[in-house]
Amino acid sequence: MIGRKKVFFISILSATGCNVLSGLAPGFYFFAFFRVAIAFFNAGIILSSYTLCMEITGISQRTFAGLAVQLFFAVGYVVLAVLAYLIRDWRTLSVITGLTGFLFLFLWRVVPESPRWLLIQGRGEEAREVLDRLARGNGTQLPAAELKKPLSTGGEKVSMLDLFRGRNIRQRTVVLVISWFTNCVVYYGLAMSAGSLGGNRYISFSLTGLMDVPALVVTLLFLDRIGRKWMHAGFLFVGGSGCLLWTVLHLLGASGSLKVIAAFIGKFAVAGSFGTVYLYSAELFPTQVRSLGMGIASVGSRVGGILSPLVLLLASTSAILPMLLMGALALLTGLLSLTLPETLNKPLPETLTDLES
């Protein structure tokens, strides 16, 4: 274990370097290798940044902080579309977008290490220094009481198999893996098909990214009112309906603009579902296996990301197949997610025993 901060910077600088090298690759195999490496390091960026954000944010602001992280993802999405419009050569685009990542080097002294991780490692003085700095930034002062190392939960060692032993944890694990898989298939399926939805491909791509912003705002406004369960399922229902509406409009010979609007509805809703499932998953898994649970759920999303381009290839058989499949998958997953319990304003389960009792 080297800490959240080091993992974040190592991952982002490695992904940045691979992005530059992919633009300079002399052949397809080198290009493919560097693109796979980018995906590998991007997983480290997302996991470490989200974890660090949650661990340095107070309980009352965690929903806002978690959604803010995803908001900047949406902003980057739109900026990429603008750069692609201005820079039509893909090699130049890869090099330029890659070089921007090196700017993060200037943030090394700004980004703190997770004080919770430092405490677990027995580095209490460093944890206090971080908390003192955060307190000063908030215009307050850290109490003089000694920081205590968090107690372990459960005592015994756990493994990935423990996510499937008990009935309750098994049900949560399976449903969440399917949910993350579906979100990724539909989200990236709609993103990558933006150019074929009708209209200008650059405008369509940027607008599909821009749809994430209002989706995250709506999620922020209503997540603590409606609850995680119904927000997540509702977004999936709307997202699936948007995909199926595109299918109907295509069969009716509707204009490209109408089909783009239908796709935007789907993208808006799936972005909201993605924003919800991060927090919902963290609250459903007990502390004892939370990191394992989030990890396996993330694997489900990566498999979905791998398969999403293959889903789009079904358009060679029939133009409506990709949207029809994504719509049906979203609706079915929405129904399946209704079997999960609500977690709003409820204490987090600490151990597998708590969950199964």
Side-chain angles (χ1 to χ4, degrees), residues 12-318:
I12 199 165
L13 292 177
S14 299
T16 293
C18 289
N19 202 20
V20 172
L21 291 173
S22 70
L24 303 175
F28 173 76
Y29 291 108
F30 283 101
F31 172 79
F33 172 80
F34 289 123
R35 299 310 294 183
V36 171
I38 291 171
F40 174 81
F41 290 116
N42 272 346
I45 296 171
I46 294 171
L47 181 59
S48 61
S49 62
Y50 194 87
T51 302
L52 179 59
C53 180
M54 293 296 98
E55 292 181 347
I56 63 174
T57 307
I59 295 175
S60 62
Q61 297 297 324
R62 273 185 187 158
T63 298
F64 173 80
L67 293 174
V69 171
Q70 298 175 65
L71 177 63
F72 281 96
F73 179 89
V75 172
Y77 197 121
V78 177
V79 170
L80 177 61
V82 175
L83 290 175
Y85 177 79
L86 297 174
I87 307 170
R88 300 302 177 93
D89 179 66
W90 68 268
R91 289 183 178 273
T92 305
L93 179 64
S94 294
V95 172
I96 290 178
T97 54
L99 290 174
T100 58
F102 289 110
L103 295 175
F104 279 87
L105 284 171
F106 296 101
L107 297 178
W108 173 261
R109 298 181 65 84
V110 177
V111 177
E113 180 55 271
S114 165
R116 181 175 179 84
W117 179 82
L118 289 171
L119 277 175
I120 292 174
Q121 300 301 312
R123 296 157 63 177
E125 288 301 318
E126 294 178 60
R128 173 167 284 280
E129 290 176 5
V130 172
L131 292 173
D132 279 332
R133 175 182 160 194
L134 295 176
R136 289 195 301 270
N138 289 328
T140 185
Q141 188 173 359
L142 190 68
E146 181 182 357
L147 297 177
K148 295 182 179 180
K149 182 177 179 179
L151 296 176
S152 61
T153 55
E156 70 278 8
K157 294 183 179 180
V158 293
S159 68
M160 196 72 71
L161 293 177
D162 289 300
L163 294 171
F164 301 94
R165 296 191 194 279
R167 182 177 61 87
N168 291 333
I169 188 62
R170 180 170 58 248
Q171 188 257 350
R172 295 184 183 195
T173 300
V174 171
V175 173
L176 287 174
V177 168
I178 294 174
S179 181
W180 281 61
F181 170 83
T182 298
N183 273 278
C184 215
V185 168
V186 181
Y187 184 94
Y188 288 110
L190 289 172
M192 288 184 289
S193 63
S196 61
L197 296 175
N200 183 282
R201 68 175 62 188
Y202 295 99
I203 295 176
S204 296
F205 185 86
S206 61
L207 288 179
T208 55
L210 198 61
M211 284 296 100
D212 287 18
V213 178
L216 293 172
V217 171
V218 169
T219 304
L220 178 63
L221 292 175
F222 294 101
L223 190 59
D224 289 336
R225 300 180 185 181
I226 298 177
R228 284 64 160 132
K229 175 179 178 177
W230 286 102
M231 280 290 288
H232 179 52
F235 272 133
L236 285 172
F237 290 146
V238 175
S241 299
C243 293
L244 295 182
L245 176 60
W246 186 96
T247 301
V248 173
L249 291 173
H250 183 82
L251 292 174
L252 294 176
S255 66
S257 298
L258 288 177
K259 291 191 289 184
V260 168
I261 291 174
F264 284 169
I265 292 173
K267 181 62 164 52
F268 167 89
V270 174
S273 176
F274 233 144
T276 304
V277 77
Y278 269 92
L279 181 61
Y280 196 22
S281 299
E283 293 177 340
L284 282 170
F285 287 117
T287 302
Q288 189 180 11
V289 292
R290 186 166 294 126
S291 60
L292 288 174
M294 293 292 286
I296 195 171
S298 180
V299 170
S301 74
R302 303 308 160 208
V303 174
I306 292 171
L307 294 180
S308 57
L310 302 180
V311 171
L312 297 182
L313 290 179
L314 294 175
S316 60
T317 302
S318 173

